[in-house]
Amino acid sequence: MTTQLARLLALTGYFGLMLWVILWHAFISPSPHLSVTFMLFMWLPWLLIPMKGMLKGNPYTHAWAVYMLMPYFLHSATLLWVDEGERWLAAVELLLASTMFIGNMYYAKLRGRELGLSIRKKKKADN
């Protein structure tokens, strides 16, 4: 996988998930018990947090942004298991979250290597 492909996957999953959250909770299947505003307030802000760093292509942001995906993975996996009516909606959410996850992980790894970033300590040269 190339750095450019990884970034494309990351941003496609990211903006796709953001758009999907809005479409799902505001138009396709709004909650009968909770307001659209409340649902968007619960699901959308977490995706806005890494936006600046992801748009700049910061590998650190791509790396830690995967932690923001856990609620979306859990939500989609739970609905896939228990809710036949919204199963296809959850499948799309899981696909987009997985795309962002894979893209972010590879981009952080590949771009970090290109920039010479590492969390490993370099071995001291023997004298």
Side-chain angles (χ1 to χ4, degrees):
M1 179 175 296
T2 66
T3 306
Q4 293 81 12
L5 177 59
R7 181 154 166 75
L8 178 64
L9 285 174
L11 293 176
T12 299
Y14 177 66
F15 288 113
L17 189 58
M18 193 178 301
L19 180 63
W20 187 248
V21 166
I22 294 168
L23 289 174
W24 182 351
H25 295 295
F27 302 107
I28 298 172
S29 182
S31 173
H33 307 291
L34 301 169
S35 73
V36 171
T37 305
F38 178 77
M39 291 302 287
L40 292 178
F41 183 73
M42 290 300 296
W43 288 104
L44 201 54
W46 306 109
L47 291 173
L48 298 174
I49 294 170
M51 183 183 280
K52 182 179 177 183
M54 286 188 65
L55 289 175
K56 285 184 174 181
N58 186 336
Y60 287 119
T61 304
H62 281 269
W64 65 255
V66 299
Y67 295 109
M68 308 296 257
L69 292 172
M70 188 54 68
Y72 303 95
F73 279 120
L74 293 173
H75 180 251
S76 60
T78 302
L79 286 180
L80 281 169
W81 186 262
V82 301
D83 191 354
E84 287 182 29
E86 293 196 341
R87 194 165 281 160
W88 74 274
L89 298 166
V92 173
E93 180 181 33
L94 183 60
L95 177 69
L96 291 168
S98 298
T99 301
M100 182 179 166
F101 179 84
I102 292 166
N104 277 359
M105 293 307 296
Y106 274 103
Y107 181 76
K109 177 183 177 179
L110 297 171
R111 185 66 182 141
R113 282 184 185 166
E114 289 172 2
L115 296 173
L117 305 174
S118 178
I119 58 172
R120 295 181 187 159
K121 291 185 178 181
K122 296 185 179 186
K123 294 180 183 179
K124 292 182 181 181
D126 292 330
N127 293 351

